[in-house]
Amino acid sequence: MIRRWLFADQLGPHFLDAPRQPVLLVESKAVFRRRAFHRQKAHLVLSALRHRAAELGDQAIFLRTETYAEALRKVSGEPLDVCHPTSRRAHEFVQGLDGVTVRPPRGFATSPASFVAWADGRHGRLRMEDFYRDARRRLDVLMDGDAPAGGRWNLDTENRQPPPREGMEVPAPPMPVEDEIDEGVRADLDQWEREGIRFVGADGPRLFPATRAEALARLRHFINHRLSAFGPYEDAMLADDPWMAHSMLSAPLNLGLIDPLDAVRRAEDAYRAGKAPLSSVEGFVRQLIGWRDYIWHLYWYFGADYGGADGLRATRPVPSWFQSLDADSVEARCLADVLRGVRDRGWVHHIPRLMVLGNYALQRGWRPAELVDWFHRSFVDGYEWVMTANVIGMSQYADLGAMTTKPYAAGGAYINRMSDYCRGCRYDPRSRLGVNACPYTAGYWSFLDRNRGRLLGNARLGQAMRQLDRLEDLGAVRDQERDRGDRAP
């Protein structure tokens, strides 16, 4: 059987054609020279790759080299195949190699052909909700015959509750126990830093699965103990509870340790057995075969130029305090806590990413392409395919609605409703002007004012635009936010 070259995000058994298929694994040091990744992201990727090599034993050739090209020279003469890589750079590289056959992608529920057939039939109107419903039908997930389970496709209205005042009463997710492989990775990263390779963020104990066994243990724990509480509070935030009831499976999913359809089937089984409510299961299923697949396919469907989209003319560079994860320089409690979470864990859940980090960047007019790179480097689950459409389209609205219906901009009222951050913050979410004015509230109106010419035709912003025109202090707010600029708030 031909030897299968596995990239470091293709580490599960579903990337092999047979259990004993010969394997090539390559650890390329040059990848970490090109950009400054989060230290814990680098640790997780290398730990997962080395653990997979140890599991496979003599079934795998494991090469630690400066570049992929150097590794391939060591196995020249032996034919290889590889599953479609997840980045354009890697895909172009493998397509140009003699003796390497590129197979279709794995690790996603919808095939490229199925997505293209769906997207081409939409005549330019691409919406995740439509794709998600198509995937549910096609894959027969949460379906009762031809109808959605429970009679409704979308249970978002039940899954947008503010956080409970008493906190989340769910068992903590199981944490990995580091071993000698992790010790070796940490020692190597220390040495690389001494050699001049740069990282961002803090080192710390590994928080995310690096093996399939660890990933399945976390999946089982989530299904059995946390899934029921997930749905209602999936959009909520708590300062002292970064995990809440989230699955914390995005990193192992994006390393290829779990097949997303397997996770979906397990969640559906819990619903069918009466062990988890439909609202929570539907919310989890939506994240996997809806958003995750949608984002993956849009990365390829929109083409290489999409990553440079800047329809709102956001030209300000991402400031150094944000780039370096300097949470200690920030006084706004929500932004300080979320940025600290990125610094200390390389992870916060999807709402802090969108409505705290992305929202602030959108309001300030920071360059979308720089933000794609920042999210890619700074999150343990970040990859180019993950962050391109999530940032360009959803977070920064730089595509002017190619994948969403409106910008995800909001003032402090949203953060106050969906979190406990505003209690004890020096800023007042109700105020847009003055020394206690919330940077998000003031920034929201400044954003709408700055972009009114580009957003006037958006029906979903009609009420906000009419309210903007009634603000008697808009000029003062505009001046205040211009003076605030890109300083840490």
Side-chain angles (χ1 to χ4, degrees), residues 214-263:
E214 290 177 341
L216 290 177
R218 182 166 287 183
L219 173 60
R220 286 191 296 267
H221 186 274
F222 172 69
I223 298 291
N224 293 333
H225 302 291
R226 298 164 62 81
L227 175 58
S228 292
F230 164 70
Y233 305 112
E234 65 175 295
D235 284 1
M237 299 173 280
L238 284 169
D240 294 329
D241 187 359
W243 316 126
M244 299 186 69
H246 288 270
S247 71
M248 294 172 60
L249 291 170
S250 56
L253 277 162
N254 293 349
L255 288 168
L257 295 171
I258 300 175
D259 184 331
L261 263 181
D262 176 41

Side-chain angles (χ1 to χ4, degrees), residues 35 307 309-310 314-319 322-323 339 353 356-379 382-384 386-388 390-392 395-398:
R35 41 166 56 108
D310 187 13
T315 59
R316 302 183 70 87
V318 178
F322 195 88
Q323 290 271 20
L339 201 60
R353 299 187 200 202
V356 177
L357 298 171
N359 186 18
Y360 195 78
L362 175 68
Q363 292 178 2
R364 301 296 142 185
W366 297 344
R367 294 169 184 164
E370 286 188 20
L371 290 163
V372 171
D373 178 69
W374 182 85
F375 276 95
H376 174 186
R377 294 183 295 104
S378 301
F379 281 81
Y383 294 83
E384 187 176 282
V386 175
M387 297 307 181
T388 298
N390 262 318
V391 173
I392 295 293
S395 168
Q396 300 304 297
Y397 201 67

Side-chain angles (χ1 to χ4, degrees), residues 61 66 95 132 153 157 182 220 274 284 309 324 362 365 376 385 470 486:
I61 296 173
E66 182 66 25
Q95 280 192 313
Y132 168 64
W153 292 103
T157 54
D182 289 295
R220 286 191 296 267
F284 181 63
S324 62
L362 175 68
H376 174 186
W385 70 264
R470 292 195 293 268
D486 297 319

Side-chain angles (χ1 to χ4, degrees), residues 240-488:
D240 294 329
D241 187 359
W243 316 126
M244 299 186 69
H246 288 270
S247 71
M248 294 172 60
L249 291 170
S250 56
L253 277 162
N254 293 349
L255 288 168
L257 295 171
I258 300 175
D259 184 331
L261 263 181
D262 176 41
V264 163
R265 301 295 185 197
R266 292 178 189 230
E268 180 171 7
D269 287 347
Y271 161 67
R272 300 292 182 187
K275 297 178 179 179
L278 179 59
S279 59
S280 287
V281 173
E282 190 275 322
F284 181 63
V285 166
R286 174 181 294 269
Q287 287 190 338
L288 268 64
I289 66 170
W291 266 115
R292 185 174 183 271
D293 266 36
Y294 186 59
I295 292 297
W296 154 256
H297 287 292
L298 288 181
Y299 172 72
W300 300 100
Y301 188 79
F302 280 155
D305 292 342
Y306 182 77
D310 187 13
L312 293 181
R313 303 295 186 267
T315 59
R316 302 183 70 87
V318 178
S320 60
W321 61 267
F322 195 88
Q323 290 271 20
S324 62
L325 311 179
D326 183 10
D328 296 335
S329 68
V330 180
E331 293 184 77
R333 188 167 178 238
C334 59
L335 184 55
D337 184 69
V338 172
L339 201 60
R340 188 178 303 113
V342 181
R343 181 193 70 193
D344 294 346
R345 298 185 299 274
W347 185 92
V348 294
H349 74 74
H350 66 287
I351 292 300
R353 299 187 200 202
L354 179 64
M355 301 308 298
V356 177
L357 298 171
N359 186 18
Y360 195 78
L362 175 68
Q363 292 178 2
R364 301 296 142 185
W366 297 344
R367 294 169 184 164
E370 286 188 20
L371 290 163
V372 171
D373 178 69
W374 182 85
F375 276 95
H376 174 186
R377 294 183 295 104
S378 301
F379 281 81
V380 293
D381 56 9
Y383 294 83
E384 187 176 282
W385 70 264
V386 175
M387 297 307 181
T388 298
N390 262 318
V391 173
I392 295 293
M394 187 165 187
S395 168
Q396 300 304 297
Y397 201 67
D399 63 2
L400 298 180
M403 64 167 284
T404 57
T405 57
K406 72 176 185 69
Y408 278 83
Y414 174 89
I415 296 171
N416 191 32
R417 182 172 67 254
M418 296 303 296
S419 78
D420 61 354
Y421 283 130
C422 296
R423 284 177 248 156
C425 181
R426 61 149 292 196
Y427 296 113
D428 181 353
R430 297 164 297 181
S431 176
R432 61 178 173 264
L433 192 62
V435 294
N436 295 324
C438 173
Y440 284 88
T441 302
Y444 174 71
W445 296 114
S446 177
F447 164 76
L448 292 181
D449 179 57
R450 187 175 69 249
N451 290 287
R452 68 167 69 224
R454 301 181 184 96
L455 300 175
L456 275 176
N458 190 302
R460 294 191 65 188
L461 290 177
Q463 182 177 349
M465 287 300 188
R466 289 189 292 272
Q467 190 173 353
L468 176 70
D469 291 333
R470 292 195 293 268
L471 295 184
E472 295 181 357
D473 55 4
L474 179 59
V477 170
R478 185 187 300 128
D479 292 343
Q480 170 187 273
E481 295 312 293
R482 185 184 301 115
D483 290 344
R484 189 194 307 275
D486 297 319
R487 298 191 312 273

